[in-house]
Amino acid sequence: MSKPRVFSGVQPTGNIHLGNYLGALKQFVELQNTADCIYCIVDMHAITVPQDPEELKSHILDVAALYMAVGLDPEKSILFVQSEVSGHAELSWILTCNSYTGELSRMTQFKAKNKGQESAPAGLFTYPILMAADILLYDTNIVPVGNDQKQHIELCRDIALRINHKYGEDTLVVPEGQYMKEGARIMALDDPTNKMSKSAENEMSRISLLDEPAKIKKAIMRATTDSDAVIKYDPENKPGISNLLTIYGALSDTPIEEIEKKFDGAGYGDLKKELVTVVTESLEPIRERFNSIRYSSELTDILKDGAAKANAIAEPILERVQSRFGLGL
Ligand code: TYM
């Protein structure tokens, strides 16, 4: 039996943080040995909000180097930049013609970002369609992502099913989302009712994979907790402590009950201090590998090679879809 096809992507809009790592990248690495994996740096998604061109270029290479620093191996997985494969934009248009404005306006991420303004870029509205094109362009079976992308994955499935119903059941492969048991939603350190995000203004709300030990310490020691001083996993009533326990458990591969037992009777400060060590020790090798890869001449060659391989898979799939629609000659 052939291996399942996996596709996922990360936006090059800033440094990858612990949420991206524990919700998505950790799965990317694990899947490399059992699946046929394609991982993308989605630069066209990034321009749905204005980007400085120089910074965007640099962030694309940062994400590529981080992909490899966390353990993605270009010998095993295809690593490439979205805009290097034109099929993404082409399939996106076909899907746009088969999507409804109603379903797009129900996307919570769109509602959060456009804030009801009429002047919001149309790309923010059609963002999930481009994401569906990314996935469907490769006959993807599994999409490893964090929980925040669940609604977008469901929309992708709806569009694929709708097209298959009209143009033939084997037009598109209908994918499944895959989410981590722990780590699917890492919360902001300063406000554990919001997800950790690359765009939040407060630097102390997140830990980026390239943060220095002093910053890691500051962010964790300042993390918002509650006042009842019991170390117990209870996301509803104790979101701050539960988030710290989740990070601790996911990074050290320790079940949360074991961590609760270890800190039974201890104070929040004790847990935070030890978490600083766990995070610093987990991120140090990633930072070292990043530094050796990021400025090597090999990096762009790997991405070019990845784009050629991705294109070779995408082309016949795009042609199949175009021909079902009667496009071209
Ligand atoms: P992006 O760049 O925002 O995030 C990259 C991945 O990290 C996950 N993630 C989180 N997981 C746990 N806790 C968090 N706080 C957290 N924040 C982010 C995201 O779920 C994602 O898996 N739309 C996507 C990029 C994309 C994509 C695709 C993904 C474009 N096309 C096709 C999969 C397939 C995004 O904005 O991810």
Side-chain angles (χ1 to χ4, degrees), residues 7-13 17-25 27-28 40 42 45 82 109 113 127 130-132 134-135 143-150 152-153 183-188 194-198:
F7 180 96
S8 197
V10 173
Q11 290 197 64
T13 46
H17 53 66
L18 272 183
N20 302 131
Y21 178 58
L22 297 175
L25 275 98
Q27 300 196 66
F28 295 5
C40 187
V42 292
H45 278 101
Q82 185 186 36
Q109 226 164 62
K113 282 197 175 162
Y127 177 111
L130 178 59
M131 177 164 163
D134 297 340
I135 298 166
V143 189
V145 278
N147 253 350
D148 62 326
Q149 297 300 316
K150 213 171 200 162
H152 291 161
I153 303 289
R185 195 173 181 84
I186 299 295
M187 308 312 279
N194 275 324
K195 67 169 184 178
M196 186 177 283
S197 112
K198 292 191 206 109

Side-chain angles (χ1 to χ4, degrees), residues 67-122:
Y67 267 177
M68 288 164 62
V70 299
L72 291 183
D73 176 355
E75 299 284 321
K76 291 184 185 164
S77 300
I78 297 179
L79 310 179
F80 78 106
V81 182
Q82 185 186 36
S83 63
E84 299 281 307
V85 177
S86 60
H88 292 252
E90 292 174 75
L91 182 59
S92 185
W93 178 250
I94 297 176
L95 305 184
T96 301
C97 297
N98 288 273
S99 304
Y100 302 131
T101 52
E103 59 192 354
L104 293 174
S105 44
R106 280 194 291 277
M107 295 292 115
T108 49
Q109 226 164 62
F110 169 69
K111 286 196 269 189
K113 282 197 175 162
N114 101 319
K115 300 186 185 91
Q117 299 163 20
E118 295 242 323
S119 61

Side-chain angles (χ1 to χ4, degrees), residues 170-230:
D170 54 357
T171 308
L172 295 165
V173 171
V174 183
E176 300 275 346
Q178 183 175 293
Y179 311 92
M180 291 300 266
K181 220 171 113 252
E182 272 144 28
R185 195 173 181 84
I186 299 295
M187 308 312 279
L189 296 175
D190 62 336
D191 174 7
T193 58
N194 275 324
K195 67 169 184 178
M196 186 177 283
S197 112
K198 292 191 206 109
S199 55
E201 248 172 56
N202 184 1
E203 273 287 324
M204 294 299 152
S205 67
R206 64 184 159 260
I207 292 171
S208 296
L209 299 194
L210 300 176
D211 277 347
E212 300 284 336
K215 152 77 199 301
I216 295 172
K217 187 172 176 191
K218 206 163 163 188
I220 293 176
M221 297 313 288
R222 280 190 189 177
T224 303
T225 50
D226 53 67
S227 53
D228 90 356
V230 180

